[in-house]
Amino acid sequence: MSGVFRWPTRASLFALQPLAAGVLLATSGGSFAEEVAPATPAASQEAKLGTVTVNARRREETAQSVPTPISVLDSETLETQRIYRVQDLQQLVPSTNVAYVHARQSSISIRGLGNNPASDGLEGSVGIYLDNVYLGRPGMAVFDLLDVEQLEVLRGPQGTLFGKNTTAGVLNITTRKPTFHQEGSVQSSLGEDGYWQTQGSFSGPLTDTLAGRISAYHTEDDGYVKNIYNGHDLNGGQRQGFRTQLLFKPDDNFNLRWIGEYNEEDSDNGILSLYSTGPTINGVNRYESLAAQAGATLVSGKDRKVNFDADQRVTVFQGGTSVEANWTLPNDFTLTSISAYRWWDFTPRNDDGLNVPVFSSAGVSVRDKQYSQEIRLASPTGGFFDYVLGAYYFKQDLDNKSFTYYGAQADIWNITPAGALANVNTLGNGHIDTDSYALFGQATWHLTERLDFTAGVRGTYEEKNAWVTRDAPVGGAAVTGAAAAARQGRVGAYDSGDLSQYSFSPSGLLSLSYRFTDQLLGYASLTHGEKSGGVNLTVGAAPRLGTDSLLVGTERANNAELGLKSTWFDDRLQFNTNLFWTEVHGYQANVYDQVNRVQYLANAGSVRSRGLEFEATALPVRGLTLDFNGSWNDVRYTEYDDAPCPPEVSLANAAATCDLSGHQVVGASKYIANLNGQYKWQLAEHIEPYVTASYAFRSKAVGTIDDSEYGQIPSYAIVNLSTGVRLDQGDGVLDLSLWVKNAGDKTYFTSLWNSANGGYAGVLGTPRTVGATARYDF
């Protein structure tokens, strides 16, 4: 695939001298390819931007010719910037935020839309695809980015061509295919806090028509949050996995790619550190007062410390297989079939955040299986009219189990009568079956040599059948009166009965693009996207608010886009920019019930997201590549009357509701800026040193949906640095580097969560980490 960096071979890299026969065209930054140009006079000695190929419209096209905002990160960019996890992508692209606690509590938002994690009965607003397969749970993408070819981040509704309707955008992950020539790579990194990562891959022919590829990784670290209760480090653990592939290509008219993969995690991720104890009302801070009554000692998470008396653990086992077949039919039509199966098992063990036994463990374990089948027909290109047609089927079978094992101090912390919750255990179960069917089509009319009109439509019908139950509580002392009533209200038996949702969700696209010159493309588009509703698969507030609180309605988005894509100065500068305006109705967001102290998803009224995005890549001098991107995003609730109140209000009246119309949406920084640079030069015939630097800034953001002044995420900036050298070893290239992440050792929070009694806990970003990497490509 053109436009994707390949690690240099001896012939291409180490033969490059200022007066050599060729030059290295393009370097890092996610937008360049490496090519060697034939020798010509001085003009040819200048590096130029390469071509990046994407699959944003379900056919291979150059990124600069696709009239939609899209960021592309190739394998070299991910390696250069030490990006090995999906949750770090926000340091490289505009308008993107990844909220991550652990594999279940994770979500991706684009343009402020999509901060809705941890609802097992609902898909995310941002669709995630791995090798053309939709991932039904965001946590399915929370593993090391192994042997990745490139990542594409598409912004705005993308439901017309992608397998599930999405209202905010798409993350499209493409891994390297098997090759009919031998190639391989091994890499090992060591760093502070016990960090150790090893990756390897090998590809080559098995026969004249069959090629294979195998990739594997192992990562471990000790963690960077100190538990002063026992001296242990938390927020670390082990991850490992592998991917095997076969590519069958008997001729130019047919190819079949089989992928099988497995990933697992055993960690103590999921640490929520104390961010704020909330408001002081009438001289009393409830969080601090009740903690003292329970005998707890509080520590500030801003010191990267916690005080937990119970275990914190997360285990994840997941895998999948897919088969993609492509036929070239008569008259150059292309028929594609993608069949896939995936499974995901998640089991947590969470502490209560205190060093006294409020509860010894709580969480939700999940067992998920999904099946999908997609068929597409793409017409040939080059004429007046071309199109893509298809059909899609998705089935999900998910079960979860919620559990809380209360301790002796539960009643003090929960302000319940003595004996109501102390030493009580509660278990619940949820189940959902999803069947989704879709027909879609998108066509482009080339009205003139420079003017294109594109229209697309998708119709999706979904059936969701679910139930939620909770067993009668066990354990604890026999109670009567107020204590018995409190126990029944908080953890009493519950059965939702059968819950069903049937929905038809249309998506549409209208777009005009005009190529003013060969280097300047302008476009305008209108899109409509819908994401079906779902079911909260834990009891939550249902006993108090009724069964309807378990149901989440459809989310609908209308988006207008105006943009330019351009290349300047003899292909040495690329500059893309766009304006957008999105109106979302029935926005699905996380809310917190102060009475039952539970979080659940609901339709949070209407939202408006508007802003400006830009991406620039420049080659100012030979060997130097600069990438600069950023966004201004104003995303607010335009109508949210019945919203949860901040603790400044709710602690005085737990049943109160507030009007959050006009407030910023949770997790959406108004300003984002990312600057990345790399400089490399030829020291000798076989030696290429390099230095890289990156700066990622995010302005302040609302931490939780109630928009409390005690739950605001401050602005922060992260600086990453590295230096290294690439050496020709005759039969391969050796890359040795030293790096530091978060060079300023900035303490920052990436997301916040409501805690009991008006407090807030959050997820800490990684501290300064120094390390070294050795990589050998052959």
Side-chain angles (χ1 to χ4, degrees):
M1 184 178 290
S2 65
V4 178
F5 180 90
R6 298 293 188 188
W7 285 102
T9 63
R10 178 178 46 164
S12 65
L13 174 58
F14 296 101
L16 299 179
Q17 298 292 327
L19 300 178
V23 296
L24 188 67
L25 299 186
T27 54
S28 69
S31 301
F32 314 127
E34 174 206 296
E35 302 175 8
V36 178
T40 57
S44 70
Q45 300 296 319
E46 300 295 334
K48 296 185 179 182
L49 301 180
T51 301
V52 177
T53 301
V54 297
N55 196 32
R57 296 195 290 185
R58 295 311 198 186
R59 61 166 83 240
E60 291 191 356
E61 302 172 282
T62 61
Q64 287 298 95
S65 68
V66 178
T68 192
I70 178 172
S71 299
V72 183
L73 305 174
D74 64 17
S75 58
E76 191 226 7
T77 301
L78 299 173
E79 176 60 32
T80 300
Q81 301 298 332
R82 311 293 167 188
I83 300 298
Y84 301 122
R85 305 180 306 169
V86 167
Q87 49 266 45
D88 295 329
L89 291 180
Q90 61 190 29
Q91 297 180 19
L92 294 180
V93 295
S95 296
T96 302
N97 182 68
V98 183
Y100 172 78
V101 181
H102 48 54
R104 180 174 175 268
Q105 292 275 14
S106 60
S107 68
I108 301 175
S109 65
I110 295 177
R111 297 174 173 175
L113 307 175
N115 287 296
N116 45 9
S119 178
D120 301 318
L122 187 70
E123 298 81 13
S125 298
V126 175
I128 304 175
Y129 293 81
L130 176 62
D131 290 321
N132 293 320
V133 175
Y134 172 75
L135 304 182
R137 312 309 311 147
M140 289 181 173
V142 180
F143 52 80
D144 285 27
L145 296 171
L146 175 65
D147 210 16
V148 169
E149 183 84 34
Q150 72 179 29
L151 303 180
E152 303 164 16
V153 180
L154 288 74
R155 301 186 290 275
Q158 304 291 330
T160 305
L161 288 180
F162 280 86
K164 288 280 289 181
N165 287 336
T166 55
T167 51
V170 163
L171 170 62
N172 194 30
I173 306 172
T174 304
T175 64
R176 291 191 178 101
K177 297 179 180 179
T179 59
F180 283 92
H181 61 273
Q182 287 192 0
E183 66 175 32
S185 175
V186 291
Q187 172 180 300
S188 187
S189 299
L190 294 174
E192 292 182 282
D193 299 321
Y195 178 78
W196 174 41
Q197 182 192 64
T198 299
Q199 293 187 349
S201 65
F202 180 77
S203 181
L206 301 176
T207 69
D208 291 341
T209 59
L210 185 66
R213 189 177 195 98
I214 185 168
S215 312
Y217 73 93
H218 174 87
T219 303
E220 61 182 64
D221 59 272
D222 296 333
Y224 52 87
V225 178
K226 177 67 70 175
N227 185 4
I228 66 172
Y229 184 83
N230 54 22
H232 293 170
D233 292 324
L234 300 175
N235 246 23
Q238 296 186 4
R239 303 183 303 275
Q240 55 195 5
F242 66 87
R243 180 183 300 113
T244 56
Q245 300 185 62
L246 293 174
L247 177 62
F248 177 58
K249 189 175 181 180
D251 53 50
D252 291 337
N253 295 322
F254 177 75
N255 64 78
L256 184 146
R257 183 188 185 190
W258 169 80
I259 303 174
E261 64 177 29
Y262 173 78
N263 296 274
E264 65 181 31
E265 174 186 343
D266 183 6
S267 73
D268 43 37
N269 281 326
I271 299 299
L272 292 178
S273 305
L274 180 62
Y275 176 78
S276 169
T277 59
T280 296
I281 301 175
N282 296 325
V284 176
N285 182 284
R286 181 183 291 185
Y287 192 100
E288 295 175 356
S289 174
L290 292 177
Q293 292 178 43
T297 301
L298 302 179
V299 297
S300 173
K302 298 173 184 178
D303 298 324
R304 296 193 180 114
K305 294 178 181 179
V306 294
N307 196 6
F308 292 176
D309 64 329
D311 289 339
Q312 180 77 28
R313 210 74 196 159
V314 168
T315 58
V316 181
F317 302 95
Q318 66 165 313
T321 184
S322 66
V323 175
E324 178 176 336
N326 295 279
W327 292 267
T328 300
L329 305 177
N331 299 320
D332 289 332
F333 283 82
T334 301
L335 180 65
T336 299
S337 171
I338 304 169
S339 307
Y341 164 75
R342 298 193 67 88
W343 57 275
W344 186 70
D345 290 353
F346 170 86
T347 304
R349 181 179 175 87
N350 299 314
D351 181 72
D352 52 33
L354 303 172
N355 62 324
V356 294
V358 171
F359 58 75
S360 59
S361 181
V364 181
S365 60
V366 182
R367 303 291 180 266
D368 180 37
K369 296 180 291 185
Q370 69 168 62
Y371 313 82
S372 61
Q373 174 64 53
E374 184 169 4
I375 297 177
R376 295 197 305 266
L377 178 67
S379 71
T381 59
F384 170 74
F385 174 71
D386 55 68
Y387 58 87
V388 175
L389 301 173
Y392 180 78
Y393 172 68
F394 174 83
K395 181 176 180 59
Q396 183 180 51
D397 185 354
L398 184 146
D399 292 279
N400 70 6
K401 177 174 288 187
S402 56
F403 55 90
T404 303
Y405 301 102
Y406 288 101
Q409 305 297 77
D411 292 313
I412 295 176
W413 186 244
N414 286 277
I415 320 179
T416 48
L421 297 178
N423 301 314
V424 169
N425 299 333
T426 176
L427 298 174
N429 292 278
H431 173 81
I432 188 168
D433 284 323
T434 300
D435 289 280
S436 178
Y437 311 84
L439 296 174
F440 59 89
Q442 184 165 302
T444 299
W445 289 262
H446 306 282
L447 303 178
T448 71
E449 290 185 0
R450 296 188 177 275
L451 179 63
D452 290 346
F453 171 67
T454 300
V457 65
R458 184 188 197 94
T460 301
Y461 174 74
E462 289 195 344
E463 297 180 1
K464 294 187 176 182
N465 297 289
W467 49 260
V468 181
T469 64
R470 186 168 62 197
D471 299 340
V474 298
V479 291
T480 59
R487 180 181 297 182
Q488 175 63 27
R490 189 70 65 89
V491 296
Y494 179 83
D495 188 341
S496 69
D498 293 334
L499 303 170
S500 298
Q501 280 195 339
Y502 305 92
S503 62
F504 176 76
S505 304
S507 293
L509 164 70
L510 295 174
S511 174
L512 275 175
S513 63
Y514 186 77
R515 186 163 292 282
F516 296 94
T517 69
D518 290 342
Q519 287 77 39
L520 178 61
L521 174 72
Y523 61 90
S525 64
L526 298 173
T527 53
H528 174 78
E530 292 195 10
K531 184 166 73 73
S532 63
V535 180
N536 284 295
L537 289 188
T538 55
V539 172
R544 185 173 74 90
L545 301 179
T547 303
D548 286 348
S549 67
L550 296 174
L551 303 176
V552 185
T554 299
E555 181 177 278
R556 304 176 302 279
N558 296 311
N559 179 68
E561 204 93 33
L562 188 65
L564 292 172
K565 294 190 173 185
S566 61
T567 306
W568 305 89
F569 304 116
D570 195 24
D571 292 338
R572 295 171 61 84
L573 171 66
Q574 179 179 292
F575 181 78
N576 299 336
T577 186
N578 60 281
L579 294 165
F580 63 89
W581 188 296
T582 306
E583 299 277 353
V584 182
H585 301 282
Y587 182 62
Q588 299 163 346
N590 217 29
V591 299
Y592 184 72
D593 177 33
Q594 290 280 359
V595 174
N596 288 303
R597 302 190 177 195
V598 291
Q599 293 183 342
Y600 61 98
L601 273 173
N603 293 98
S606 299
V607 170
R608 182 206 62 212
S609 176
R610 61 183 178 181
L612 167 70
E613 300 163 337
F614 72 90
E615 296 180 277
T617 303
L619 306 177
V621 297
R622 181 178 174 83
L624 176 63
T625 304
L626 297 176
D627 284 326
F628 183 36
N629 65 69
S631 56
W632 170 76
N633 185 198
D634 180 32
V635 53
R636 299 177 181 274
Y637 300 106
T638 56
E639 183 182 355
Y640 195 12
D641 302 329
D642 250 348
C645 293
E648 300 92 298
V649 176
S650 63
L651 290 184
N653 182 4
T657 61
C658 290
D659 184 357
L660 293 183
S661 301
H663 287 237
Q664 285 282 119
V665 169
V666 59
S669 295
K670 182 173 287 189
Y671 301 101
I672 293 175
N674 302 299
L675 176 62
N676 308 292
Q678 182 185 59
Y679 181 66
K680 57 185 178 181
W681 65 98
Q682 209 67 41
L683 183 63
E685 182 179 359
H686 302 296
I687 303 174
E688 185 194 59
Y690 61 89
V691 292
T692 68
S694 69
Y695 173 86
F697 169 79
R698 308 180 74 82
S699 65
K700 68 177 183 178
V702 174
T704 57
I705 199 169
D706 55 30
D707 198 12
S708 168
E709 61 179 293
Y710 300 94
Q712 304 290 314
I713 302 175
S715 63
Y716 64 90
I718 303 300
V719 175
N720 301 324
L721 305 169
S722 70
T723 184
V725 61
R726 297 184 180 115
L727 306 170
D728 178 22
Q729 299 295 296
D731 57 354
V733 177
L734 177 64
D735 187 321
L736 303 173
S737 63
L738 298 173
W739 45 268
V740 55
K741 304 191 73 171
N742 190 5
D745 200 22
K746 176 71 174 179
T747 299
Y748 62 100
F749 285 81
T750 60
S751 61
L752 295 182
W753 299 79
N754 294 90
S755 292
N757 302 311
Y760 291 91
V763 179
L764 283 164
T766 54
R768 179 173 53 223
T769 307
V770 178
T773 298
R775 178 182 177 117
Y776 185 64
D777 295 276
F778 54 92

